[in-house]
Amino acid sequence: MPRIPLTLLLLTLATPAYAMHISEGILPFGWAALWFAVAAPFVALGLKRLNKLADDDLSFKPLVGLLAAVVFIISCMPIPVPTAGTCSHPCGTGIAAILVGPFVSVLITAVALLIQALFMAHGGLSTWGADIVSMGVVGSFTGYGLFRVLRGMGASLGMAGFAAGLCTDWATYLTTSVELATGVRGDAPFLPLLGRIIIAFIPTQLPLGILEGAMTAGMLLLLSRKRPDLLVKMRVIRAAPDTSPL
């Protein structure tokens, strides 16, 4: 492998708070611009969807604000990666996408990532688009889609939530690995470099994915017990038939 791509890879893996927060200056301008172009329509559609739902229901925006705080806090829990000198963390976009839909979840993620980049040195402004794509777009649509498919097949709320949270996390980090491998490889072979980045994540992301699955399932089950009306309102579950006597 040429020395320059290898040096860039080592620099990337040694940069704190990297994970799905790709650090400032890691991606070349062309790749950073490409990921911005991919992320922009999803953010725009998320804003449009938010305004539409808020017009129909005044309580929707407070719910989105609460979920934004949840995503922000969950994705601010760094766990060191022993083999890479960096950190990983859960995403939180699985539960957001299930409750308010994937497009609004992308918007929530964009806001959380922007605040983290500006005030916490998690990620960067030049890599904001790439971070939105991995955590917001891929993470949200993976979790939402899998949850809906499993529920349609008859899976329980907890099982579907667990699988959605698990795959949201793993899909996010797989996408981040692809973004990094394409951005820093130079003239090096793509697949070997991608494999090295994925291997660096395995010690933390395998258990973190399971943890995120458990958190997502736990939140859904708690809401089903304490606020089933909210899940019905968000079309996560169906309302129980009225069996009261006439």
Side-chain angles (χ1 to χ4, degrees), residues 19 24 35 66 68 76 85 103-104 108 115 118 127 176 185 222 243:
E24 190 71 67
W35 296 121
L66 178 61
C76 280
F103 284 105
V104 178
I108 288 172
I115 295 173
L118 288 173
T127 56
T176 300
R185 74 186 186 92
L222 180 63
T243 58

Side-chain angles (χ1 to χ4, degrees), residues 37-214:
V38 173
F42 288 94
V43 175
L45 289 170
L47 183 59
K48 181 179 179 180
R49 178 68 174 164
L50 172 64
N51 290 330
K52 182 181 183 301
L53 292 173
D55 288 340
D56 297 335
D57 184 357
L58 295 178
S59 66
F60 188 74
K61 281 189 177 179
L63 174 62
V64 170
L66 178 61
L67 286 172
V70 170
V71 171
F72 179 84
I73 293 171
I74 289 177
S75 61
C76 280
M77 300 191 302
I79 298 176
V81 179
T83 60
T86 181
C87 65
S88 297
H89 46 77
C91 304
T93 47
I95 186 64
I98 291 169
L99 291 178
V100 296
F103 284 105
V104 178
S105 180
V106 172
L107 181 62
I108 288 172
T109 304
V111 173
L113 289 171
L114 179 60
I115 295 173
Q116 290 169 352
L118 288 173
F119 301 107
M120 303 181 65
H122 281 213
L125 295 179
S126 68
T127 56
W128 186 38
D131 292 336
I132 292 173
V133 170
S134 59
M135 181 173 160
V137 177
V138 175
S140 297
F141 278 89
T142 297
Y144 178 84
L146 184 59
F147 179 82
R148 291 296 179 180
V149 168
L150 290 177
R151 288 290 286 169
M153 295 172 61
S156 67
L157 184 67
M159 182 61 68
F162 178 84
L166 174 76
C167 292
T168 291
D169 185 278
W170 288 355
T172 295
Y173 280 86
L174 179 60
T175 305
T176 300
S177 300
V178 172
E179 292 172 342
L180 285 168
T182 54
V184 306
R185 74 186 186 92
D187 58 353
F190 170 73
L191 289 179
L193 184 58
L194 176 63
R196 293 185 185 188
I197 296 173
I198 292 174
I199 289 172
F201 280 134
I202 288 177
T204 54
Q205 264 353 97
L206 284 178
L208 273 179
I210 296 172
L211 173 64
E212 181 147 10

Side-chain angles (χ1 to χ4, degrees), residues 12-39:
T12 301
L13 293 179
T15 304
Y18 138 68
M20 98 273 300
H21 297 87
I22 301 177
S23 297
E24 190 71 67
I26 290 298
L27 297 180
F29 175 80
W31 282 105
L34 173 65
W35 296 121
F36 267 104
V38 173

